[in-house]
Amino acid sequence: MESSVRVLVSIDPSHPGGSAGIANALRAAGASIGQVLDELGTITATCSSEGIPALSRVPGVLHVEPERTVSVPKPGSKVQ
């Protein structure tokens, strides 16, 4: 069973298709689009972990990386 991962896709802002065209191409490559953040040059998406290489090959995509989660201990908790 393929696991689903959230990814951050860095896009080329000068790509002729623009962010909307890149988002459509990512959908065709198997991604579910979350948000298109034009100001940041980033698209958030979900795909199978095996699908990341296909997203990387989409024209206009500069980089694809799994989303990272950062957490901070609650105040007063013992930090190791």
Side-chain angles (χ1 to χ4, degrees):
M1 179 178 206
E2 295 180 355
S3 61
S4 183
V5 293
R6 292 173 52 119
V7 294
L8 299 174
V9 182
S10 299
I11 60 172
D12 179 358
S14 64
H15 184 71
S19 58
I22 296 170
N24 287 334
L26 289 169
R27 279 188 198 94
S32 175
I33 303 301
Q35 293 182 302
V36 177
L37 306 168
D38 286 320
E39 301 81 18
L40 300 176
T42 303
I43 297 175
T44 65
T46 304
C47 69
S48 70
S49 57
E50 292 81 7
I52 291 175
L55 301 185
S56 298
R57 291 188 295 271
V58 169
V61 169
L62 300 174
H63 186 69
V64 179
E65 68 178 272
E67 186 177 85
R68 298 179 187 156
T69 303
V70 177
S71 61
V72 177
K74 293 182 180 183
S77 65
K78 187 174 183 176
V79 180
Q80 296 182 5

